[in-house]
Amino acid sequence: MNLNLLKAISSGRVHMNVNFCNTGLLAAFCFSSVVNAANVSTNDLYKQYQDKPNHKAFSIGTNGSAGAAWGASTKEEAMDLAQQTCEDSGGVNCNITEVNGRPLASSDMQVKNYRTVNNYNIVSNGVNYKPNPEIKATAFFVNNQYLVSVGNIIDKCSKLSYERNGRLIDLTVIRTDKMNNLSLLKTSSTNESYATVSSKKKTYQGERTYSYGYDLSDINNFKTPSYQGKITDGIISRASGKYNDIRFMRITNEINAGNVGGPVIAENGDVIGIVTNTNKESIKASILSIFLNEQNISYHVTKSQNSIPPSAIAEKSQNFTVPLVCLNEA
């Protein structure tokens, strides 16, 4: 005997399908009933799902319609039921976000053919947050726990996280330098890869540069964004910034809002700057080093000046860069 409870949200209403199935040696029978109720939100459904027994799954569409299943025989069955319920309720581009209370990652074996996205409902210290996909930026690791990015994103977000394999990971803002537009962030989860920061004292005009960052071009779900990294190449066109400001340099790389806060990388793989705005101005690694030294944050440098192929730079960058996700109170 198997009892599966499903709930789905569509235009402010909920329908609940109760499927009762009994399978014997000679026969099988099923029946269903439909119950309608009003004024149940997607958040309410998610809270109900959290309290229900395994096996359970949650699915949400880009238009906010959602589906959940619990009490299923297997994880796979719960996923099928939640996905189908979301679609039946009018959900557009429904995606499984959680199974048995755990956010999914694209590497999970249980995901099979489901596309995974971040859990749309983030709760921290009793406060509900929603991602704001209009705010875009990149950060990168300088050691296993600390990241750097631009500073001007801090004022626009109640809370910062980063996305990795469909999961949101919390960040703590340690320090911001508004004059140089830098921020120091600490993650709640360590990262195996980190950037090497250039120790060169001089910026050379015409030096080849690579940038790595994240944009919204491949997002499937604007409520729960999942990002794709992008590498671009160019050169240092100016060795100083506006009004000959020696803290900055200008590059010719293709830059969009998602690149801001991301690294500018030399041919040997070292970070030589941080993209500070979409006008292709970047703050130099020498200023970043001062910023990190003042906070007593360790970082890594190399003495090798040997060039490595762009494919190797892209692979390394993908491992030590992350897309920032701006969270504001729901």
Side-chain angles (χ1 to χ4, degrees):
M1 182 179 297
N2 180 30
L3 180 64
N4 299 311
L5 300 180
L6 296 81
K7 290 189 177 180
I9 295 175
S10 179
S11 302
R13 295 184 67 81
V14 173
H15 71 264
M16 179 169 64
N17 294 334
V18 181
N19 296 327
F20 180 89
C21 301
N22 184 20
T23 304
L25 293 176
L26 299 177
F29 64 90
C30 300
F31 66 87
S32 65
S33 63
V34 178
V35 180
N36 290 311
N39 302 319
V40 177
S41 67
T42 302
N43 284 343
D44 290 335
L45 175 63
Y46 182 73
K47 291 176 182 177
Q48 292 180 44
Y49 151 84
Q50 287 181 306
D51 295 332
K52 297 301 180 181
N54 296 339
H55 292 289
K56 60 185 178 181
F58 192 85
S59 175
I60 187 171
T62 57
N63 61 345
S65 294
W70 51 79
S73 299
T74 64
K75 292 181 290 187
E76 290 74 18
E77 181 183 32
M79 293 168 74
D80 287 335
L81 293 171
Q83 187 79 347
Q84 187 62 53
T85 308
C86 179
E87 293 171 355
D88 289 348
S89 71
V92 178
N93 190 24
C94 292
N95 291 273
I96 298 292
T97 60
E98 284 193 12
V99 173
N100 291 342
R102 186 172 68 88
L104 291 180
S106 59
S107 59
D108 287 345
M109 293 297 293
Q110 66 194 40
V111 176
K112 292 187 175 180
N113 295 322
Y114 296 102
R115 286 173 298 163
T116 62
V117 291
N118 304 322
N119 185 347
Y120 80 103
N121 185 53
I122 299 99
V123 180
S124 178
N125 294 324
V127 180
N128 288 306
Y129 295 92
K130 296 286 185 181
N132 182 358
E134 299 302 316
I135 306 299
K136 315 171 188 70
T138 295
F140 63 93
F141 283 88
V142 291
N143 60 37
N144 294 124
Q145 279 194 297
Y146 287 89
L147 307 87
V148 293
S149 186
V150 288
N152 56 11
I153 190 176
I154 306 302
D155 294 335
K156 302 173 183 177
C157 310
S158 302
K159 182 178 177 62
L160 277 177
S161 296
Y162 69 89
E163 189 267 348
R164 179 60 64 86
N165 294 327
R167 294 180 59 242
L168 286 183
I169 300 173
D170 286 343
L171 288 170
T172 301
V173 179
I174 302 299
R175 184 69 180 268
T176 59
D177 179 348
K178 291 191 175 183
M179 181 63 70
N180 292 310
N181 196 16
L182 290 171
S183 65
L184 177 65
L185 311 168
K186 185 177 182 180
T187 179
S188 60
S189 176
T190 58
N191 196 63
E192 293 182 1
S193 300
Y194 43 78
T196 55
V197 179
S198 175
S199 58
K200 292 172 65 174
K201 296 181 179 180
K202 182 174 175 60
T203 302
Y204 293 93
Q205 191 175 30
E207 182 178 352
R208 180 159 296 282
T209 56
Y210 297 92
S211 67
Y212 199 92
Y214 297 82
D215 58 34
L216 301 182
S217 62
D218 294 308
I219 273 189
N220 290 320
N221 189 329
F222 279 91
K223 277 184 172 290
T224 54
S226 184
Y227 301 79
Q228 297 293 321
K230 182 178 181 181
I231 187 170
T232 63
D233 67 340
I235 61 171
I236 298 175
S237 61
R238 289 185 58 181
S240 59
K242 190 176 181 181
Y243 305 121
N244 290 320
D245 191 336
I246 60 172
R247 297 171 300 165
F248 297 91
M249 61 186 179
R250 191 173 294 274
I251 57 178
T252 63
N253 301 58
E254 178 188 346
I255 296 296
N256 59 42
N259 287 105
V260 174
V264 179
I265 306 164
E267 287 187 291
N268 69 339
D270 283 355
V271 170
I272 58 174
I274 300 178
V275 178
T276 55
N277 56 50
T278 55
N279 293 329
K280 305 185 178 183
E281 195 168 66
S282 304
I283 195 161
K284 296 176 183 178
S286 56
I287 305 300
L288 171 61
S289 295
I290 294 172
F291 178 66
L292 294 174
N293 289 337
E294 288 294 321
Q295 307 308 312
N296 199 29
I297 300 298
S298 63
Y299 56 94
H300 301 264
V301 297
T302 60
K303 295 182 179 180
S304 173
Q305 296 302 315
N306 295 329
S307 297
I308 59 177
S311 58
I313 291 175
E315 183 177 5
K316 288 179 60 178
S317 300
Q318 186 178 38
N319 291 330
F320 67 69
T321 62
V322 293
L324 291 182
V325 178
C326 177
L327 300 169
N328 288 311
E329 294 185 22

